[in-house]
Amino acid sequence: MYNFEFERPGSVAEAVAALKSEEAQALGGGQTLIPTLKQRLAAPAKLVSLGGIAEMKGVCLNDDGSLSIGGGTTHAEVARAAAAHYPALAALAGGIGDPAVRNRGTIGGSLANNDPSACYPAAALGSGATIVTDRREIAADDYFQGLFTTALEEGEIITSVRFPVPEKANYQKFLQPASRFALVGVFVAHHAGGTRIAVTGASEDGVFRWSAAEEALASGAALDGMAPEADGMIADLHGTKAYRAHLTGTLTRRALQAMA
């Protein structure tokens, strides 16, 4: 490690002010950033911890039936507090990493990092969530913009995430046992306006909606044997492009069966 300044603000306003410093970087649960610092892949002059901001923590049900989750809420707390209102989201949170990761990592940190194999991006995109920051509200369809890339601007903080609660939903994750990230993960949510299908871990462009499957379901067609195009899928030592495309189709059908 190397020398850097550390600041722990007590409010969003204080955090926003601290992040205006040159080469300052926000620190959520630190599950990605701290290993990155240790590997000397990042070297911010100042870390601004968001862990002391009470207004960014917690889960609450809104008057319109949507579920708001503070950006600083840990995975473990989402798994516990969201279970009564959004079981599929709670189950997803409870399957992230291991107990140490779940008790330190935060939903805001995960969404801000937008790892191509993370689980929360699939939940946010599949649910049609809204990412609320200190400056604005961003629809999930506009938020995710590629591998580790989002619509967030410099110094912008995710203060909460608002999830419309679907009529039913399910998340299926094919676990990579070493990292516990999703080799492929599929989040399916059925809303009054139709079914949304979001896929993580599979594409070179990061999380995406499988629109062809959504359209097939809307027309009443079955998804038997259906899979997205292998071109554009990730290929690595864990699986080929064709393998990930096949997994996407298989996990989507499993999610639909679990919702039936």
Side-chain angles (χ1 to χ4, degrees):
M1 297 291 281
Y2 57 91
N3 291 328
F4 52 82
E5 294 181 38
F6 182 83
E7 192 164 340
R8 186 179 170 87
S11 70
V12 171
E14 291 175 0
V16 169
L19 286 169
K20 290 180 179 178
S21 301
E22 187 174 355
E23 295 185 36
Q25 188 164 347
L27 172 67
Q31 299 307 291
T32 298
L33 181 56
I34 297 302
T36 302
L37 294 176
K38 289 181 176 179
Q39 294 169 24
R40 300 299 179 99
L41 298 176
K46 176 191 285 188
L47 288 184
V48 180
S49 173
L50 307 179
I53 305 177
E55 63 191 285
M56 285 179 54
K57 297 180 180 181
V59 178
C60 68
L61 192 65
N62 301 314
D63 291 340
D64 63 359
S66 63
L67 194 68
S68 285
I69 302 176
T73 308
T74 64
H75 312 323
E77 178 62 12
V78 174
R80 185 194 67 78
H85 309 294
Y86 198 163
L89 179 62
L92 176 148
I96 294 174
D98 54 31
V101 169
R102 291 193 291 274
N103 281 289
R104 290 294 303 172
T106 64
I107 186 171
S110 177
L111 291 174
N113 187 51
N114 191 24
D115 188 290
S117 295
C119 297
Y120 276 129
L125 191 58
S127 302
T130 299
I131 315 300
V132 182
T133 77
D134 61 291
R135 307 175 191 177
R136 55 186 170 143
E137 297 186 355
I138 311 169
D141 285 321
D142 301 321
Y143 177 80
F144 301 102
Q145 299 183 352
L147 301 182
F148 299 102
T149 305
T150 71
L152 291 177
E153 298 173 350
E154 190 73 23
E156 192 169 9
I157 299 171
I158 296 176
T159 56
S160 66
V161 188
R162 189 167 64 246
F163 288 89
V165 178
E167 295 174 0
K168 49 187 176 180
N170 187 262
Y171 180 59
Q172 294 288 325
K173 176 180 178 179
F174 193 90
L175 187 73
Q176 205 291 322
S179 68
R180 302 194 66 80
F181 277 101
L183 188 64
V184 174
V186 179
F187 194 95
V188 180
H190 182 70
H191 303 263
T195 301
R196 294 171 66 101
I197 302 172
V199 183
T200 188
S203 172
E204 293 174 340
D205 293 325
V207 66
F208 69 97
R209 284 178 64 184
W210 187 12
S211 55
E214 292 177 354
E215 292 166 4
L217 290 174
S219 68
L223 302 187
D224 295 345
M226 188 174 179
E229 293 291 332
D231 186 40
M233 291 294 184
I234 295 171
D236 57 20
L237 74 164
H238 303 299
T240 64
K241 294 175 180 286
Y243 182 60
R244 279 187 166 84
H246 172 75
L247 273 180
T248 299
T250 299
L251 295 179
T252 300
R253 287 186 286 275
R254 287 181 183 176
L256 290 167
Q257 289 169 0
M259 291 163 55

